[in-house]
């Protein structure tokens, strides 16, 4: 499955099946996009899986991804276990985006925090810092973002947090609120 960037960049490439054909066709074109919109994504993918003859579509996943960049990722999330933190973090990021937030900090530099980072990045959110209690992580970089202490993060002025953890949520929320008490009330987003 192409990423949204790949679909955008590769869509202009030409396809030639090398079976003596003199015709080349773009991987993405308006006719294939219209076909998908007319028939719906599910039916489009089903019919395209039988070969290129359905609308001369050579890479149907590219057509879908150009129009609906997160379609395949959302389908993947629907198939995962209901209790998965990936599903919960996806909903968390959707709430953050709906609130108009564009920049935030992620509290938690573990595996869950990195998954939250990836989901946030897919939605165009800018993560300013990872925050973690573990001093040995401070100053290091994860996913190109610096890990800092809560105190250092507070000194930078941003007060929007997404908690990249599914455990100890009350403790983490309390810690952030105590640190920010003199600075005003922070916005804290949690999955649960």
């Amino acid at each position: 499955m192409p990423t949204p960037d790949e679909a955008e960049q590769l869509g202009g490439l030409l396809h030639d099946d090398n079976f003596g054909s003199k015709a080349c066709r773009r991987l993405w074109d308006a006719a294939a996009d219209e076909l998908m919109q007319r028939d719906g994504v599910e039916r489009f993918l089903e019919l395209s899986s039988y070969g290129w003859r359905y609308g001369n579509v050579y890479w149907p996943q590219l057509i879908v991804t150009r129009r609906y960049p997160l379609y395949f990722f959302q389908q993947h999330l629907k198939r995962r276990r209901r209790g998965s933190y990936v599903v919960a973090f996806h909903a968390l990021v959707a709430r953050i985006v709906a609130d108009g937030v564009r920049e935030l900090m992620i509290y938690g530099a573990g595996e869950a925090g990195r998954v939250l980072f990836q989901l946030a990045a897919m939605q165009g959110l800018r993560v300013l810092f990872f925050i973690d209690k573990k001093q040995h992580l401070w100053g290091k970089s994860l996913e190109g973002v610096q890990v800092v202490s809560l105190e250092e993060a507070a000194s930078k002025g941003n007060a929007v947090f997404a908690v990249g953890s599914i455990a100890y949520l009350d403790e983490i929320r309390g810690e952030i609120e105590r640190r920010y008490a003199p600075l005003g009330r922070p916005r804290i987003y949690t999955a649960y």
Side-chain angles (χ1 to χ4, degrees):
M1 302 302 148
T3 66
D5 285 342
E6 290 169 341
E8 190 64 36
Q9 292 175 15
L10 299 175
L13 294 177
L14 297 176
H15 176 271
D16 174 13
D17 62 17
N18 286 326
F19 291 114
S21 168
K22 293 183 178 169
C24 290
R25 188 174 168 110
R26 292 204 182 283
L27 291 174
W28 181 91
D29 66 11
D33 188 70
E34 288 172 19
L35 185 63
M36 177 198 53
Q37 290 183 65
R38 183 194 75 201
D39 293 344
V41 173
E42 303 272 331
R43 183 83 172 135
F44 175 77
L45 290 171
E46 178 187 341
L47 292 173
S48 297
S49 69
Y50 297 118
W52 59 270
R53 292 179 197 246
Y54 170 72
N56 289 324
V57 177
Y58 294 97
W59 192 0
Q61 294 84 358
L62 178 129
I63 305 298
V64 172
T65 302
R66 290 238 345 202
R67 172 66 60 175
Y68 307 108
L70 298 176
Y71 177 82
F72 291 106
F73 181 69
Q74 290 168 338
Q75 294 303 308
H76 171 71
L77 289 178
K78 287 178 184 176
R79 290 183 190 100
R80 290 186 64 105
R81 289 181 319 137
R82 188 168 168 78
S84 168
Y85 67 81
V86 176
V87 175
F89 284 167
H90 179 64
L92 169 65
V93 170
R95 281 196 333 261
I96 293 168
V97 169
D99 284 351
V101 173
R102 295 289 166 240
E103 296 182 334
L104 54 90
M105 298 177 283
I106 294 177
Y107 192 105
E111 177 187 343
R114 289 191 300 274
V115 167
L116 179 56
F117 171 86
Q118 292 167 350
L119 293 168
M122 287 176 66
Q123 291 292 330
L125 296 174
R126 181 170 175 244
V127 176
L128 302 171
F129 299 103
F130 279 102
I131 298 161
D132 206 282
K133 287 177 128 180
K134 298 177 188 114
Q135 291 183 10
H136 72 277
L137 294 176
W138 297 348
K140 293 188 178 179
S141 182
L142 294 173
E143 308 286 347
V145 176
Q146 187 179 17
V147 181
V148 299
S149 68
L150 182 57
E151 288 71 26
E152 185 174 345
S155 73
K156 305 288 185 185
N158 191 303
V160 179
F161 294 87
V163 178
S165 175
I166 55 172
Y168 309 109
L169 295 178
D170 291 336
E171 292 86 349
I172 293 169
R173 178 184 295 281
E175 183 180 352
I176 294 169
E177 287 174 345
R178 280 189 299 281
R179 177 59 188 96
Y180 273 77
L183 305 172
R185 188 162 179 86
R187 290 173 74 178
I188 304 170
Y189 292 89
T190 62
Y192 302 103

